[in-house]
Amino acid sequence: MTTAEPTTEPEPESAVETARRQLERAAAHLDVDDGVVERLRYPTDVYRVTVPLERDDGTTEMFTGYRAHHDSVRGPYKGGLRYHPGVTEDECVGLSMWMTWKCAVMDLPFGGAKGGVIVDPKELSRDEKERLTRRFAEELRPVIGPMKDIPAPDMGTDPQTMAWFMDSYSMQVGETTPGVVTGKPPVIGGSKGREKAPGRSVGIVTREALDYYDREIEDTTVAVQGFGSVGANAARYLDERGATIVAVSDVDGAIYDPDGFDTNDVEDHDETPGMVSTYDAPEKLTNAELLELDVDVLIPAAVGNVLTAENARNVQADMIVEGANGPTTSAADQVFEDQGVAVIPDILANAGGVTVSYFEWLQDINRRAWSLERVHEELETEMLRAWESVRGEYDARDVTWRDATYLVALSRISEAHDARGLWP
Ligand code: NAD
C-alpha cells in the first residue's frame, strides 16, 4: 500500500508549541541541566485581569486582559501589549517565551513577557481606548514597573497608548516613571530611532549575511513582502547601500521591476494605505508570486506562516531573512534546510526593536536622551555582536541559522540559571 503525499500541512503550530520545540532543539545540542530546560518550558506566571470600560454611550463593557511572564533570570520582563480580538492566554505565554529567547540573543538584561486585551481596537473611539488603557495599566500595576516588567507597543497599540499607560502608572505611584514602558513619544522619554529599528536591524543582518556568503550587496536582488514599518525600513536600508529591491507588496498585492524600485518613491503602507499595489510599476504580482520570485534575498515582513509546506519548494531565493515574526512554518523550515536555503531567523533579524527599547529604558533611567546618531551607532554595535555570536555557533556546529541563534540564547539563559541556582 502506498501512502499519498499530504497536500496540505497541519495547522501551523501555536506560539507556545514553536517556542517549546525550539527550546528542545537547542537543548539537544547543549549540555544543559534538564531541570533548567523543564523550567523554561513554562511561564513563571500569567496574570488575567478583567477591565471594565465605560463606553461613550454610557454602558459598561467588560474586557479580558493578560500579562504573561516567562523567565526573569537575566533581568526584568520585557515585551509588547497587543489589542486584538484574537489575543489568548496561550498566545501571550508563547510570545513571552519568544521574547526571552530574543532578549538573550541580543544579550539584553531582560526576560520575556507579553500581554494584551481581547478587543478590536478599530471598534473603540480614541476616548474609549484611553480609558481602557488607563484601567488596564491600573489592573497590571502590581506586576509591572521599570525594574519588574516593562511593556511596549505591539499590534493595535502605539506610542500614544504607551503615553497613557506611563501617565496612569506615574499618577498612581506618585512620581513620573518613564521607564515603566518603552515605545513612548520622544517628548516624554521615548527614544529616537525606535520605530525604524526593527527594519533597520533586518537590513544590518541581511548585509552581514550577504558578506558571510561573499555576496556583494550591489549585486543583490531583494523581494520584500509587506512594505510596512519593518519591510519598508529594511528595503530602504538595503537600497541605500546598493541592493536592487525588485519587488515589494502590501496586503492588496505586489509590484515588480527587474531594474529595481527607488524605495523612497514608493510610499509605505502606513504613509498611504494601498499605495504599494497601486504604484505605477512595470508588473503587478500577487503576494504568493512575490514569495516565489528568482531573487537573491527574500524578506517576508508582513505576517506569520506565509512560507509553508505548500510553497517552500517553489521559493527560489538563496537566503530568507525573517522580518515578520514567525513567517516560516516548521514544515517549510525543513524544506529550506534540505535545500540549503539560509533562513536568518526573526528573533535575531528583527530584534532591533527590543534593542532600541532597551536604549530607551537606559535613557529613561538616566534621564538623558541620546541623539539619533548614537542610537544608530549603538544598534549597529549590538547587532554585530549578536551576529558574531550566532555566526560562531553556526560555524562551530552542523546546524541551521535558526538553531545557531537559539543555541546562543539558551546558553546564556541556562548559564544564568546555573549561576543563580533554584531557590529555595
Ligand atoms: P505594518 O502594519 O507596518 O506593515 C505590515 C505590512 O504587511 C503592510 O504593508 C500590510 O499591507 C502588509 N500585509 C498585511 N497583511 C498581509 C498579508 N496577509 N499578505 C501580505 N501583506 C500583508 O506592520 P509591521 O510593524 O511592519 O510588522 C510586520 C511584521 O513584523 C509583523 O509580523 C510584526 O509582528 C513584526 N515585527 C514588528 C515590529 C515592530 O516594532 N514594528 C518588531 C518586530 C517584529
Side-chain angles (χ1 to χ4, degrees), residues 376-403:
H376 283 171
E377 272 170 32
E378 301 243 6
L379 178 61
E380 170 88 13
T381 305
E382 296 301 327
M383 293 312 303
L384 287 185
R385 274 196 333 155
W387 171 256
E388 293 296 320
S389 305
V390 171
R391 203 188 66 179
E393 289 292 349
Y394 183 80
D395 282 340
R397 304 166 192 264
D398 184 23
V399 292
T400 62
W401 285 102
R402 194 185 305 284
D403 287 337

Side-chain angles (χ1 to χ4, degrees), residues 82 102 153-155 194-195 198 225-231 249-252 269-270 276 287 301-304 306 323-325 350 353:
R82 56 177 56 171
K102 195 181 269 197
D154 201 275
M155 283 162 68
R194 166 69 180 78
E195 272 186 68
Q225 185 189 44
F227 202 63
S229 170
V230 177
S249 75
D250 65 15
V251 66
D252 299 321
H269 192 72
D270 218 24
V276 176
N287 264 291
V303 289
V306 293
N325 286 323
N350 69 29

Side-chain angles (χ1 to χ4, degrees), residues 102-167:
K102 195 181 269 197
C103 292
V105 170
M106 294 309 303
D107 212 2
L108 306 178
F110 292 135
K114 202 72 165 196
V117 178
I118 308 171
V119 61
D120 183 351
K122 290 198 280 299
E123 287 177 5
L124 298 177
S125 68
R126 182 185 157 93
D127 287 350
E128 288 171 338
K129 194 169 176 184
E130 176 173 351
R131 288 197 291 275
L132 183 82
T133 301
R134 289 186 179 281
R135 185 61 186 251
F136 187 39
E138 177 55 14
E139 297 298 338
L140 290 185
R141 187 158 59 90
V143 298
I144 58 169
M147 296 300 153
K148 273 192 202 169
D149 175 8
I150 306 123
D154 201 275
M155 283 162 68
T157 55
D158 57 16
Q160 179 60 64
T161 322
M162 294 302 111
W164 291 325
F165 203 98
M166 174 279 218
D167 183 68

